[in-house]
Amino acid sequence: MGSKYTRGCCGWLIVALVAALVATAAMFAIMKRKPGGGGKHLKPLPVPGPPGAIDSKYGDALGVALQFFQVQKSGKLENNQIPWRGDSALTDGKEAGLDLSKGLYDAGDHMKFTFPMAFTATVLAWSVLEYGDQMSAVKQLDPALDALKWITDFLIAAHPSDNVLYIQVGDPDLDHNCWERPETMTEKRPLTQINKKSPGSDVAAEAAAAMAAASMVFKSSDTTYSDVLLQHAQKLFTFADTYRGLSSESYPKLQDFYNSTSYVDELLWAASWLYHATGDQTYLSYVTVQNGKNYADWGRPTWFSWDDKNPGTQVLLSRLNFFGSKQISNAENEGLKSYRDTAESVICGLIPDSPQATASRTGGGLIWISGWNSLQHATNAAFLSIVYSDYMLSTRTAAVQCSGKYYSPTDIRNFAASQANYILGDNPMKLSYLVGYGSSYPQQVHHRGASIPADAKTGCKGFQYLHSPDPNPNVAMGALVGGPFQNDTFVDSRDNAVQTESSTYNSGTLVGLLSGLVTTSSVAQSFT
């Protein structure tokens, strides 16, 4: 009797144990599927191979987004693809004996500001370096390279001597008092330069970053051009670091437009790009041992933008920590680890259900920081996220830890995709904020050239087209408009510049984001 009872008890115990194991396994599988689940047991995902299946939604959107660089071109156009655009600003720079006709108009106006234009070039070059193979897979690499070179040609011309950089073409007051097509401009377009006596470390360092990054892009296709870019980058960095000051302090009127709050973030950003471009250890030492603690805001995540480069630097230098690099000292490695730890804090703040998640979002899930040009922060944050998730995938890094919860590269990628999807129409307004993409997008973009018929004779005072209730006669293809209010609403009115104006610098990170989502592919382990 006793032995029978014991055997029965053992049998039920075995059944109970098996059931418990099955339940545990099921729970573990569920946890692995949920963001933050699985704890330390998350397994590394396989490293993606060459570009895989194409997601046509992102491929089509990328093709649209790149057209905005064509819309914004200044100068004598080559192979013009935009029927309502023509040559413009051909005499820019003439008063200084320079040809500053190239470059991009900043937004809906006809100003050329070197600071945001150089930022556009830096992130566009970064996008090509990380995702050139994916751009190529959807036949969009050449348009990206064309846009990048149009900016870097301008930057080369704007840097005629070691300690001089032209940072502005045009007078904002004169420009903004006119509503006209760029092809018919007649007002004066004065030049503004920084130099030893009127420094602008923020702009000079950003231009150095752009040219260093672009030098790597063109290294295999045009060695001579690449070398020229790198020489300018090194001289501009030395100028920025030696003669320190903010451009908006040298020229207070800039405070009304691109008022940089600091220049040390640009110095770190430029030195980081110069290290990647040259392999020169002095640049790495500059950003880690010499200036990391004082300048980099380690441990304090911020928002990546034309003004604050720190989050971009943190993610960019994380790549060295992920992939490793030869001849890095212990002190430099400690600095790189601090950059990566801060980058992880940035990422943890973006994942929606992370314990560190920012509350700065709309009800529809969009990162939302400020009313003016609200989409810039969502786009920039999503771009950094897709890059970081791909660094993790390529190095088989299983997860990031956010206050005890763990998130896989897929979780981070899903956040990036959510921001892209919102932009492309998955939002409460059911509106694509990328002009020319989808069936419903803004019709009254705050953009002079798009709002005026190509054959109109307006002179400077074509303001009837600004205030017209009609749709723009020309489509500003690829424009990423300012975006929604915090309550996810959007008013499509040309007079509503806060929401309907598009800015060129948004397009660089948008191109990178869409390129990262087009398909999966491991990122290059080295830029050099």
Side-chain angles (χ1 to χ4, degrees):
M1 186 82 157
S3 61
K4 187 177 178 181
Y5 177 80
T6 304
R7 284 196 302 273
C9 239
C10 288
W12 282 111
L13 184 61
I14 291 168
V15 170
L17 284 170
V18 169
L21 286 169
V22 169
T24 301
M27 181 60 69
F28 180 68
I30 292 169
M31 286 177 70
K32 280 210 299 183
R33 287 197 297 271
K34 288 184 177 179
K40 295 180 181 178
H41 303 292
L42 279 175
K43 291 182 179 179
L45 297 172
V47 178
I54 302 297
D55 189 317
S56 60
K57 174 175 72 174
Y58 300 122
D60 293 346
L62 177 60
V64 172
L66 279 163
Q67 292 182 59
F68 191 56
F69 295 118
Q70 302 296 322
V71 169
Q72 295 302 97
K73 276 185 174 181
S74 165
K76 187 169 183 57
L77 303 185
E78 301 166 5
N79 302 315
N80 181 25
Q81 314 261 325
I82 309 298
W84 51 273
R85 279 302 325 277
D87 298 344
S88 63
L90 296 179
T91 60
D92 278 2
K94 187 177 180 180
E95 67 185 73
L98 302 173
D99 180 3
L100 299 179
S101 62
K102 283 190 175 182
L104 304 178
Y105 296 121
D106 180 58
D109 57 10
H110 302 140
M111 289 298 299
K112 288 191 279 196
F113 294 108
T114 301
F115 192 36
M117 196 195 310
F119 174 70
T120 302
T122 310
V123 293
L124 183 57
W126 192 4
S127 301
V128 172
L129 289 167
E130 301 288 9
Y131 299 121
D133 61 340
Q134 301 184 201
M135 293 178 181
S136 184
V138 289
K139 297 181 173 55
Q140 296 302 327
L141 179 57
D142 286 343
L145 295 175
D146 174 79
L148 177 60
K149 191 172 184 297
W150 203 262
I151 302 175
T152 54
D153 283 352
F154 170 85
L155 294 177
I156 290 170
H159 183 225
S161 60
D162 290 0
N163 299 317
V164 171
L165 178 69
Y166 285 88
I167 64 168
Q168 183 176 297
V169 181
D171 180 322
D173 293 333
L174 291 175
D175 185 273
H176 291 183
N177 282 331
C178 287
W179 194 267
E180 62 191 339
R181 301 180 67 245
E183 293 81 2
T184 60
M185 287 189 294
T186 57
E187 67 271 15
K188 291 183 179 179
R189 291 176 62 77
L191 307 176
T192 305
Q193 67 164 247
I194 52 172
N195 49 50
K196 292 180 183 180
K197 293 182 179 179
S198 301
S201 300
D202 44 355
V203 188
E206 183 59 61
M211 296 166 105
S215 75
M216 290 185 281
V217 170
F218 295 110
K219 190 174 182 179
S220 60
S221 60
D222 190 339
T223 306
T224 301
Y225 189 69
S226 173
D227 289 344
V228 169
L229 287 170
L230 189 54
Q231 289 167 22
H232 279 281
Q234 291 173 307
K235 289 174 180 177
L236 279 166
F237 178 76
T238 300
F239 170 44
D241 196 33
T242 304
Y243 301 97
R244 293 191 175 194
L246 281 170
S247 56
S248 57
E249 290 177 354
S250 294
Y251 297 98
K253 282 185 71 173
L254 288 174
Q255 295 173 17
D256 296 332
F257 300 96
Y258 290 98
N259 185 27
S260 179
T261 52
S262 172
Y263 57 75
V264 295
D265 56 316
E266 277 85 23
L267 289 173
L268 295 177
W269 176 239
S272 301
W273 279 110
L274 279 162
Y275 174 70
H276 281 89
T278 66
D280 186 335
Q281 293 294 125
T282 58
Y283 293 117
L284 183 61
S285 178
Y286 183 97
V287 298
T288 53
V289 179
Q290 296 175 39
N291 298 300
K293 287 182 181 178
N294 294 329
Y295 294 171
D297 281 342
W298 287 336
R300 191 179 75 86
T302 55
W303 296 103
F304 186 42
S305 72
W306 60 263
D307 180 29
D308 185 353
K309 311 303 167 18
N310 274 337
T313 302
Q314 289 149 10
V315 170
L316 176 63
L317 292 179
S318 293
R319 125 188 294 286
L320 296 176
N321 194 266
F322 272 109
F323 294 111
S325 187
K326 297 174 183 177
Q327 299 175 335
I328 292 181
S329 70
N330 289 336
E332 289 165 346
N333 264 322
E334 281 300 308
L336 291 175
K337 185 178 184 304
S338 296
Y339 278 106
R340 178 170 167 182
D341 288 345
T342 311
E344 291 208 355
S345 294
V346 170
I347 299 302
C348 287
L350 299 175
I351 300 170
D353 77 331
S354 160
Q356 297 167 230
T358 178
S360 300
R361 302 173 202 265
T362 70
L366 182 77
I367 291 291
W368 198 96
I369 308 303
S370 61
W372 189 279
N373 191 12
S374 62
L375 285 174
Q376 67 168 313
H377 291 295
T379 308
N380 293 349
F383 169 67
L384 293 185
S385 298
I386 198 75
V387 170
Y388 199 86
S389 70
D390 284 337
Y391 290 169
M392 292 174 66
L393 272 176
S394 295
T395 57
R396 303 209 70 209
T397 302
V400 295
Q401 181 184 177
C402 305
S403 298
K405 292 187 77 175
Y406 293 79
Y407 297 89
S408 71
T410 302
D411 298 326
I412 301 168
R413 186 180 182 88
N414 287 344
F415 160 74
S418 74
Q419 304 302 287
N421 293 341
Y422 186 108
I423 289 168
L424 299 180
D426 185 10
N427 56 62
M429 296 291 291
K430 303 302 179 188
L431 182 73
S432 166
Y433 291 109
L434 178 63
V435 175
Y437 178 83
S439 59
S440 178
Y441 50 81
Q443 300 296 305
Q444 292 200 30
V445 181
H446 182 94
H447 189 280
R448 286 160 176 75
S451 70
I452 302 173
D455 58 354
K457 308 295 183 185
T458 65
C460 172
K461 302 298 181 182
F463 287 98
Q464 71 269 29
Y465 293 106
L466 167 63
H467 305 303
S468 167
D470 299 328
N472 285 347
N474 310 309
V475 179
M477 290 292 289
L480 180 64
V481 296
F485 289 132
Q486 195 166 12
N487 63 1
D488 290 301
T489 62
F490 180 83
V491 179
D492 186 10
S493 168
R494 212 172 290 107
D495 284 305
N496 178 21
V498 169
Q499 289 192 294
T500 63
E501 187 167 22
S502 51
S503 300
T504 312
Y505 57 82
N506 285 3
S507 296
T509 48
L510 178 63
V511 163
L513 170 61
L514 295 172
S515 298
L517 291 170
V518 157
T519 180
T520 54
S521 177
S522 57
V523 295
Q525 293 197 18
S526 172
F527 286 151
T528 56

